[in-house]
Each structure stands twice: as structure tokens, then as C-alpha cells.
Amino acid sequence: MSYEKSNQWVKHIDFAVIDLACMEVSLLAANMLRHGLAFPFTEGNNYVRLALIAAVLLIAYIFFAEPYSGILRRGYLRELKSVIINNVALILVIIVFLFAVHSTASYYRLMFGYFTAIDIVLTYFSHVFWKRWIRKRTNAPDRGRALLLVIREQEAEKCVDRILKNPYGVVKLCGIILLKNDTDVQTITGDGRHSHFSYGESAEPPKVSEIMGVPVIGSEDGLLTYCKLNVVDDVLFFNTPLCLKKYRDILLNMGIRVHRNMVELEDDYLKYQVNTINGIMTLSTSITPSSLWQMAAKRGMDILGGLIGCIATLIILIFVAPVIKIQAPGPIFFSQTRVGKNGRRFKIYKFRSMYKDAEARKKELMTQNKMKGFMFKMDNDPRIFPFGKFMRKTSLDEFPQFFNVLKGDMSLCGTRPPTLDEYIQYAPHHKSRLAMKPGITGLWQVSGRSQITDFEEVVRLDNEYIRNWSLSLDLKILFKTVLVVFARKGSV
């Protein structure tokens, strides 16, 4: 994973402020609807306390859930759906918090209903109004930067379409310089000045006067003339490195900002970041870019969860150790070399749920493997002793893995770490499931793992988790894991 993804809550701080204001206004209105128009800041009224709690929880929710990702590209229906989901999630967080601190009795349930309804309406129309204002502001004639596009004919329409699809961009496409399709593969001649370059037939006038409403200024020979006589703030050279080299210094000396594309139009440009590796500037991409604060927050969750899990493991050890010793004499803990993030080896720990000769007997049972692919799973595995079946059913055998989480080999949420035997059989696309630290639980574990018998389906679920990873997704998986464990569903 990469660690340079921009923070959406910082990028869209304006929407965060709007939502905070809408929430406080909605809370005040709900309080007045329930208690009348009396001034709420009176002794005995818990409004102020609730307002502060809600503000803190909203900021935390924005920090973890990143509700503003792609907000400027949302249509009316998508925006309404997003506002409803975020408001319902927020009110649930508030209620859970109040329940945890034993304060739910201080507030009326009807007030929470008023608050949710008012906040949804107020937030939705505030978002719509603010996005319209942003669009109007960026589209004003005196706003934005004038961009001139230098591009080959064959790519012009697709590139212009991509630029025009972003109505909130800070640049405005003022014109296009069209090069012949083979222009940028010719050999440069001359001493670096405009009049001494020859690009074959590049000076031939373009056959079109506009592309998607954007005027075609002319061919390469008209570039400098147009920049001298018209307002041009930026020039973008798209897939024209030789042309860029030819004109870059001249344009920079004219005070014009020069750009070149770094990814193709077909690529998912949102997955790319500009990084510096030991002094070398690079264009980097990964399955799911994430920021340093997200990784720090995830590690913080792991440390806290690991500490709690290790304490629980020591308590559970007192009860399970004697039973393991009686039913299957041998070590209490089982350790095995597993493969973690990007191929790193580590020792995984579990409460032993199988007889000591389990690994030796595995080969003779391979014909009964119900998994299609590189994992082994069978019904009524004879290598598991009776209490071991109970531990697996209740996931008690997994608790020592909290020591792995605390060490940093694993995370609370992730993918299942494969054995060495499985790993060496992987095809290249299988290794994508190791792009993150393995976890005690994950999307596969809460998706009915006992019912999944195709390894490729496991890989698909793991990749779905990795590509869509967020802190809020981890929280959802942890919550579902608790439900799955208590319901005893999907365990081995």
C-alpha cells in the first residue's frame, strides 16, 4: 500500500464546517420542538452537553468514515442517499455513546427523531447549494486559470472530454493546439529556438475548428504566437514529450506554468501519487492508496485491540489449558510459519485444536479437501479433538493471535495469512491478497467462510477488502465479526 493519499476531510473542510453548523442548528430546532421555545441554555437542560458530544462525534465520524470522498461528483440522488446514510450512522453513534456512558435516560427519543429528520433536510440542501456556488464561482469568466492543451489529433477528443467532465476544476480549457499524430516521434533538430525546429508536417492547418465546443487554435507553429497575444496561464502537453522539451523553457520565461500528463486517460488517475524516493521523484500507484494518518489510526486500533485481546487470552488460557492437556496431551499453543504482507514470514499462534500428528496426517486427507484451490478444509476433520471443535466453533482458538497483532505481524482486520505450502503455489494475481497485513478477521470471515469452497472467491473477497479499505470498513467488519462469533455462523 502507498501512504500518500490526500485526506478528504482536510480537502473538503468547507463541507465539514457546513455539516457541523447544520447539525448544531438541527439539534437546537429539535430541542425547541420537544421542549418548546424556551431558551435552552438553562440549568437542568442537557442541550449544551449533547451539542458538545454530537460535535465531537461528528468530527470523529468525518475523520474515520471520510464521507466527502467524491462529493463534488455526486448527483442529486447520490447526494441524498449519502446524506441519509451519514446522518443515520451519526445518530446511531451518538445513541451508542450515550448508552455507553449511561446518559440515554436524560434525553427523549422523539427529540432524536426530530433531529435526524431536520438534519437530513438541512444538510442535503446545504450541500446542493454549496456545490452550485462552487460551480458558479469556478465557471465565472474572471475565475480560474486559462489552460491551453497541446495534443495529437488521435487523442484530442478523449482528453478534452475528460477535462470538461470536471465542472469544479480550477482551470478552464481556452484552446487546443493540434499536432499531427506522428509529430512527437520525429527527431528534433536546431539549437532550441522556435524557428529552428522542424516536425515534418506539423505546421499543416488542422482540419477542425473546435472539439466539443473548445476552439482549435491551430497547429504547432501558432503556439507561441497565441500565448503572447492571449490570456494563457497554463499549457498542458499531453503525450508530447519532445514538443514539451522544445517549448518548455520558452513558456516558463513567459511566466506560463507548464504541465505534462503522467498517466494515460484509461488509467485510474486517483490511484497515482507523486512521491520522492531517496531524492528521485516518482509516480507511484498501488491497489489502495492510504495516508499516513490512516495507517497510524489503524495501527492505534491494533495496539488497543491487541492489548485487550492479550488480556482476554490470558484469562481464557486458565480455562482451556487443562482441557487441551487432558483431551490431547501436548503443547497448549500451536505455532506455524505463515506468510504476511508482501511475502514476509512470521510465526502465528493459536490454541491447539488438533492432535499432535495433525500435519503428518494432512497428506492422507487431501482427497477429502472441499476447497477448490490452495486452501485445505474438510467436514468432520478427524485431526480435531472434541474440545478443539468447540474452540473453533466459538473462535476461542484464534485468541493467541492478538499477540501477533500486538507485535505488528498481523492486524485486527485483514486477510487470512496463507501457509508456506499454499503460498509457493500462488499465481501472480493471488499475491494481491497479501498487499495488506493479514488479520484475525476480515471480509471473507464475515461473509460465510464455511460456505465458500472456491479459493478464487476468497481472493476476490480479499481484493474487494483491500481495494475499498477504509477505517470505517474495518469497524464494520469488527462489528460483524462479533455478531458472527456469537451466532456461531461461518466458523470452521
Side-chain angles (χ1 to χ4, degrees), residues 125-139:
F125 284 105
S126 296
H127 283 193
V128 171
F129 171 79
W130 188 248
K131 288 197 288 186
R132 281 187 175 182
W133 185 84
I134 293 174
R135 188 168 188 172
K136 182 179 179 180
R137 185 171 181 269
T138 55
N139 287 338

Side-chain angles (χ1 to χ4, degrees), residues 422-434:
E422 295 169 359
Y423 178 69
I424 60 177
Q425 301 179 69
Y426 274 12
H429 74 279
H430 293 145
K431 193 178 178 182
S432 62
R433 63 189 300 268
L434 300 178

Side-chain angles (χ1 to χ4, degrees), residues 22-33 36 38 40-41 47 115:
C22 289
M23 184 195 69
E24 295 297 349
V25 171
S26 300
L27 197 58
L28 179 61
N31 182 78
M32 289 183 171
L33 283 174
F41 303 97
Y47 163 76
F115 164 69

Side-chain angles (χ1 to χ4, degrees), residues 361-419:
R361 297 174 60 187
K362 182 177 178 180
K363 292 182 179 179
E364 64 187 57
L365 298 172
M366 286 301 293
T367 56
Q368 301 180 54
N369 183 14
K370 69 175 186 177
M371 286 293 294
K372 180 182 177 183
F374 305 133
M375 293 171 62
F376 179 82
K377 189 184 296 292
M378 66 173 292
D379 296 323
N380 301 316
D381 193 331
R383 300 174 300 160
I384 304 175
F385 56 85
F387 186 66
K389 292 180 181 179
F390 171 78
M391 287 195 296
R392 289 197 168 198
K393 191 70 176 177
T394 56
S395 297
L396 289 177
D397 63 318
E398 309 279 355
F399 269 80
Q401 292 177 41
F402 283 107
F403 289 99
N404 292 113
V405 173
L406 205 56
K407 286 174 58 182
D409 295 326
M410 296 178 65
S411 177
L412 294 177
C413 293
T415 61
R416 174 190 173 274
T419 65

Side-chain angles (χ1 to χ4, degrees), residues 250-263:
I250 301 173
L251 293 170
L252 289 175
N253 289 331
M254 293 172 67
I256 296 174
R257 186 181 297 179
V258 178
H259 310 269
R260 67 169 295 181
N261 66 300
M262 302 184 75
V263 297

